[in-house]
Amino acid sequence: MAEETVLEPTKAAATPTVASTDTLKFGFLGIGWIGRNRMEAIANSGVGEVTAVADPAPQNVEEAQKTAPNTKVCQTINELLEEDIEGVVIATPSAFHAEQSIIALESGKAVFCQKPLGRYAEETKRVVEAARQANTLLGVDLSYRSTVAMRKVYELVKSGELGNIYGVELVFHNAYGPDKAWFYDPKLSGGGCVIDLGVHLVDLALWTLDFPEVENVTSSLFSKGKRVTPADGKVEDYATASIHLATGPHVQLSCSWNLPAGQEAIISATFYGTNGGASFKNVNGSFYDFVAERFWGTRTETLVSPPDAWGGRAAVEWAERVANGEKFSEEAEEFVKVAEVLDRIYGR
C-alpha cells in the first residue's frame, strides 16, 4: 500500500546533479515501512549510499538511522534536494507523489516513487513530462514486475509457448484495509482498492502484453456492499473491471479491501493462451511468497517457488540504472497508460 508519512511539497530551486565517481548518493523522502524497506535494500546492495532522509515522524527517522547512522536528517523536500544526491526515493501519501516528483525532477534528481505516481492520468502525465524535460530517470515501484515468479510468466508469454493469449484474470483480495484516514478520502488517495492494489495487476497485464491499445473498459465499484460512483465521494473497497484490448485479449480484474477471503490475501495474474496457461500467484495467503505455474489442461507444473527476496528489488534496479548513467526513458509512458486505464475504471 501507499505510505503514511506526510511532507508538504514546496517549490525547490533548480540544483544541478553533481556527477561522482564514487558510490552514488540518494535521498529518501518518507521513511515509513515501505520507504525504509527500499532504503535498506539500496544501502545493502552497495549501489548507493543513504545521504539524507526527510520524514515528519521522529520514530521513522530513528528507525532509519539504525541502517544509516550518519545520514543527514532534513525537515523539508527543499532541504533534502539541497544535499549532494543523485536521486530521490519518494514514499509519502499518494496526494503528494506527483508534485514532489516534479520538484525533484526539476532539481535534476532521478526519482523512484511509490505507486501511484499520480492520483489521475493528468497528474501522471505531468510527472512524465517533467522527467522528459529534465532528462532524468523516472521509476515507479511497481514491484511485482521484479518477482522471479512474475518474470517467469512474462518470459513464457513472450516466448510464444502459450500460443495466442486471449484471456487474462487478475485478482488482488486483501483481508485487511489501510489504517490511515487519507486512504479513504478520494481527493487524497485518488480512489480505493483499485488504485491501491489493482494498479499492480493492471500494470502486469499491460506490461506482459506489450501495452496494447485499450478498446473498452467497464467496471463496478462497491463501498461496504453498495454500488458507488466517483460522484458519491467514497472510495471503493471492492471492484471488478472488464478490459477489452484492441489486440484481442480480454482482461478481467477483481480487487478488494477487507474481503472475507478466508486467508490474508489472494493475489494472482493468470494468462490463458491457445497452447496453455501460466499464473503468477501467492502461496497460502502470503503477501510475500509467490509461485509461477504452467498449465496444460488438468495438469499443473510449478516453475518457480519461494523464497524470493523481491521487496526492494525494483528500487535497487532503478538505483543501478542511475549508477549506469541512464537518463529519461520512454518506458515512463507506460505509467501514463496504466493511469489512463484506472481513470476509465473509475469512469473519469
Side-chain angles (χ1 to χ4, degrees), residues 54-66:
D55 193 298
Q59 64 271 25
N60 289 344
V61 173
E62 183 178 338
E63 285 298 316
Q65 288 180 316
K66 293 178 182 178

Side-chain angles (χ1 to χ4, degrees), residues 136-153:
T136 50
L137 188 65
L138 172 64
V140 175
D141 200 359
L142 295 163
S143 50
Y144 294 123
R145 287 193 190 189
S146 297
T147 61
V148 173
M150 186 60 217
R151 286 181 173 175
K152 185 62 178 179
V153 172

Side-chain angles (χ1 to χ4, degrees), residues 207-264:
W207 173 61
T208 304
L209 299 176
D210 291 327
F211 283 88
E213 180 183 347
V214 176
E215 195 171 75
N216 181 261
V217 177
T218 58
S219 63
S220 294
L221 308 177
F222 293 79
S223 177
K224 301 186 185 306
K226 296 182 179 179
R227 289 280 297 271
V228 294
T229 69
D232 295 321
K234 298 178 180 179
V235 299
E236 77 289 352
D237 55 25
Y238 180 85
T240 62
S242 180
I243 304 166
H244 293 272
L245 304 178
T247 49
H250 172 259
V251 179
Q252 184 69 33
L253 168 70
S254 296
C255 62
S256 66
W257 289 335
N258 296 311
L259 189 79
Q263 53 190 311
E264 291 191 308

Side-chain angles (χ1 to χ4, degrees), residues 128 131-132 135-138 321 326-335:
V128 171
R132 180 183 283 107
N135 193 25
T136 50
L137 188 65
L138 172 64
R321 293 175 68 185
E326 289 194 43
K327 301 298 182 181
F328 177 76
S329 170
E330 287 295 336
E331 292 174 0
E333 287 294 341
E334 296 172 0
F335 308 142

